Amino acid sequence: QCAGTLGAVFGALAQDDQSMTYWMSCLSLDPKEPECLRGFQEASARVALTRGGLKKYLDQIAQNPGYAQGYFNLCVGAFEQNLQDIGASACEQALQLDENICLAHHQLGKHYRTILNQERAIASCRKFVSCAGTLHPAEVQECKDMVAQLEMQ
């Protein structure tokens, strides 16, 4: 309920990015909660008006709040538009729904490195390397290099 309340507060303040992040948190607790879904849909619509490129991902999530790939798509799109909070929240939600979306760990590793959260960057990259196996060799190497660099600091 707290996440929903914060989503409503940020929505009332026209801070739609933050509002949508809190509504996503609310949905993660109960994907069928009508207030969470309504709040998320309203915040998504306002964000979509200003950032049309994310609309298709927001629509996927609004239609199916349990669709992990939709959250991952939003994660990537948000990071591409430098919407860090939304990107991180969407990646975390994707992983809550499906831990096997390995590239979400990679996205979070890069994000946490950017915001100087060394511990979480290392943990995310280690999870990615473990999850990816032989897939995504360039990203695996990037994470291995990042972990090595951060551990030396």
Side-chain angles (χ1 to χ4, degrees):
Q1 289 297 30
C2 184
T5 301
L6 288 170
V9 168
F10 280 112
L13 296 172
Q15 295 180 8
D16 296 318
D17 294 339
Q18 292 87 345
S19 177
M20 192 169 76
T21 299
Y22 283 106
W23 286 119
M24 283 190 328
S25 296
C26 185
L27 280 173
S28 73
L29 298 172
D30 183 358
K32 295 181 181 180
E33 169 59 45
E35 181 181 345
C36 296
L37 189 55
R38 180 195 50 75
F40 175 77
Q41 289 170 335
E42 289 176 4
S44 298
R46 290 189 303 268
V47 168
L49 290 174
T50 59
R51 295 180 182 86
L54 299 179
K55 184 173 180 357
K56 61 184 171 187
Y57 308 130
L58 297 170
D59 288 345
Q60 288 175 348
I61 294 167
Q63 291 172 4
N64 184 359
Y67 181 50
Q69 189 64 44
Y71 283 98
F72 177 69
N73 294 340
L74 177 60
C75 157
V76 172
F79 280 132
E80 286 174 356
Q81 294 189 26
N82 204 31
L83 300 171
Q84 301 297 313
D85 290 342
I86 291 174
S89 181
C91 272
E92 289 168 358
Q93 179 62 26
L95 288 168
Q96 273 189 337
L97 294 168
D98 183 354
E99 187 70 22
N100 295 316
I101 298 182
C102 299
L103 286 171
H105 291 296
H106 178 255
Q107 290 288 335
L108 288 172
K110 293 189 308 182
H111 167 69
Y112 291 130
R113 179 191 60 195
T114 300
I115 65 167
L116 305 177
N117 189 329
Q118 181 176 337
E119 187 176 301
R120 290 186 83 179
I122 290 171
S124 293
C125 273
R126 285 187 175 147
K127 287 178 185 175
F128 170 68
V129 170
S130 173
C131 178
T134 59
L135 301 174
H136 315 293
E139 290 85 356
V140 166
Q141 189 59 51
E142 179 184 18
C143 261
K144 286 180 177 179
D145 293 345
M146 184 189 318
V147 168
Q149 180 187 33
L150 290 172
E151 287 181 331
M152 289 176 33
Q153 293 179 352

